Amino acid sequence: MTDRHPLDLPELRPLWSAVHDRLSTGRPVSRVRSGPLDDAGREALADLLGLDRLPGTEPTIPLAGLDGAVLDACGRPVRDVVTAILGPIHDRAAERHHRTGQRDALWAWLGDHEVVTAQPALLEWVGHLRTAGLVDGSPDRTRGLMTAALTVLAALPAGGEPLPVLAARLLDGDSHALDDGTRLSSLVLRALAVLYGTDMPDAAEGRRALWGRAGVADDELSATVLAAGLRPGGEGPVAGISRICAGAGHPVSLTLAQLRSPGEFTGPAGPVHITENPSVLALALRRFGRQCPPLVCTSGWPNTAVIHLLRRLAEDGAFLHYHGDFDGEGIRIAAHVMAKTGAAPWRMAAEDYRAAVTRVPSGPDPGRLTPAPWDPGLVDSMAELRTAVVEEMVADPLLDDLADHRHGE
């Protein structure tokens, strides 16, 4: 057992606590206010300092004088004495600075993460998280939770897996990691609500619907993708159905179940264009009929079947080109499709928007705007003109592009 320090007297404990606390601020200290001291403490302090009268109950003591008295009493400076009695002296100023640096680095990392930069609408999510603060005050714990959330977001839309299966696959086998009510589940759902422009659901039914919109436990039959002019190679059923429909000048609607088991299927190794709205696909079929170039429709926010088909086409060598509405929602959908499939923008630059606005000079307001990763100037132009342009209003130049590609094949 360690011997007790000779100056570790109960009556002087208030003094040593005050000195320890002031030295731990990390700032220069010239005086220390101690107390309250009882009569025994006042006498002990007077003896230590060699005073000819008792100090008050809460005296202010010059640190240099106290240090000299302590050196005379035990041969050690006051810093060593309070360390021996109360433990290590901290530097709270340096610790605060270090924690601030850790927080700043954390938020910078999150804002620059590839999942966020690919879909800048998520910067609103980052801002909410920053306002909410650190998880349990810990940058490391917060980073771990954010890393898990980003892992899930990168994998969405899911392939129709049940939520526990998705969680187990992505999160080290923990099938309960995304259970309703967990911090991680709430984080991911808030990000999805920001992406889709909806309120954060406050009921279990709404949360299930939001997961479903992101492809979790999709119905393999109700999740479909609409396409035209798709002539894949292979003798599998999906390839055959697609070629029959294309040859007849009809659209094809493929279910997620079919796309998961397509049989022999090889996508076209050329340009495949993507539109947001079915009406544009209908116009393309009316103009080109059985000669329609490959065209896929997302029908708004793409479901799992849409993403599944587009990824498969890209893997087979297709070059994907995306066009959608020039409004806030359309920009977010475009960023999502490009991030998830590698599609390139198709007539989606600022100059395309400015040209399109001339067709609808008094169009509706574009609503909430978030950055377009492929052209920062696009949203600046939309914010300036405050006019939405739906895809149908620019259908003619889109169809002309398809005609050029068709004639070039």
Side-chain angles (χ1 to χ4, degrees):
M1 183 175 179
T2 304
D3 292 338
R4 187 173 180 177
H5 194 279
L7 292 179
D8 185 10
L9 305 175
E11 52 268 31
L12 290 178
R13 272 297 178 114
L15 170 65
W16 304 136
S17 295
V19 173
H20 190 280
D21 186 64
R22 286 300 309 280
L23 292 178
S24 292
T25 63
R27 297 190 293 268
V29 179
S30 60
R31 295 176 175 273
V32 175
R33 184 175 182 179
S34 177
L37 299 176
D38 57 17
D39 290 344
R42 295 166 64 201
E43 291 176 4
L45 180 57
D47 289 342
L48 177 63
L49 298 178
L51 304 177
D52 57 4
R53 66 178 65 180
L54 293 179
T57 57
E58 296 186 359
T60 298
I61 308 156
L63 187 63
L66 179 61
D67 197 45
V70 170
L71 276 169
D72 290 342
C74 67
R76 304 294 298 174
V78 69
R79 178 179 287 270
D80 290 357
V81 171
V82 295
T83 298
I85 295 173
L86 296 174
I89 293 172
H90 302 288
D91 186 339
R92 289 198 291 272
E95 291 169 357
R96 283 194 299 272
H97 181 74
H98 178 66
R99 287 195 298 271
T100 299
Q102 284 185 307
R103 286 196 299 271
D104 291 345
L106 171 68
W107 302 126
W109 162 80
L110 183 57
D112 291 338
H113 194 281
E114 61 184 4
V115 171
V116 176
T117 57
Q119 299 187 78
L122 288 173
L123 288 171
E124 181 181 329
W125 175 64
V126 173
H128 171 82
L129 299 180
R130 187 164 190 167
T131 300
L134 302 178
V135 176
D136 299 331
S138 169
D140 290 341
R141 193 168 299 173
T142 304
R143 183 183 287 257
L145 192 63
M146 300 307 169
T147 298
L150 292 165
T151 297
V152 176
L153 290 170
L156 297 178
E161 299 164 291
L163 193 58
V165 175
L166 177 75
R169 178 169 64 84
L170 297 177
L171 303 168
D172 300 322
D174 186 356
S175 61
H176 296 290
L178 294 170
D179 282 358
D180 197 36
T182 63
R183 272 178 169 162
L184 181 56
S185 176
S186 297
L187 278 179
V188 176
L189 286 171
R190 184 169 292 280
L192 294 177
V194 167
L195 281 176
Y196 297 142
T198 66
D199 293 331
M200 180 68 176
D202 55 9
E205 183 179 357
R207 292 189 288 272
R208 285 194 299 270
L210 194 53
W211 280 118
R213 192 170 181 181
V216 177
D218 260 350
D219 181 340
E220 288 189 332
L221 298 182
S222 62
T224 63
V225 54
L226 193 64
L230 203 59
R231 296 173 173 83
E235 298 305 317
V238 170
I241 293 170
S242 299
R243 288 196 303 269
I244 290 171
C245 290
H250 293 163
V252 62
S253 180
L254 301 171
T255 69
L256 179 59
Q258 290 171 320
L259 292 169
R260 282 182 171 166
S261 302
E264 188 180 352
F265 178 100
T266 305
V272 173
H273 289 79
I274 312 163
T275 67
E276 178 185 339
N277 298 284
S279 55
V280 176
L281 186 141
L283 290 172
L285 282 171
R286 181 182 302 174
R287 175 167 171 177
F288 301 113
R290 288 176 290 182
Q291 302 300 316
C292 187
L295 189 62
V296 177
C297 182
T298 68
S299 301
W301 277 95
N303 61 30
T304 306
V306 175
I307 298 299
H308 190 101
L309 175 61
L310 293 176
R311 285 175 172 171
R312 177 62 185 267
L313 296 176
E315 289 170 1
D316 287 343
F319 301 101
L320 306 180
H321 305 271
Y322 180 84
H323 188 278
D325 292 335
F326 282 119
D327 59 12
E329 185 83 349
I331 298 304
R332 285 186 287 279
I333 293 173
H336 182 75
V337 173
M338 294 179 200
K340 298 301 180 180
T341 69
W346 171 29
R347 288 188 179 268
M348 289 290 287
E351 61 186 30
D352 299 311
Y353 168 71
R354 287 186 173 276
V357 167
T358 62
R359 297 169 178 253
V360 282
S362 59
D365 189 89
R368 180 173 68 102
L369 295 176
T370 50
W374 62 93
D375 185 354
L378 172 57
V379 173
D380 291 339
S381 295
M382 295 175 70
E384 173 192 345
L385 301 177
R386 299 305 306 183
T387 300
V389 182
V390 296
E391 199 173 24
E392 291 82 353
M393 296 302 300
V394 293
D396 289 344
L398 297 179
L399 297 182
D400 289 343
D401 287 347
L402 294 179
D404 290 341
H405 280 291
R406 182 171 64 86
H407 292 146
E409 289 177 354

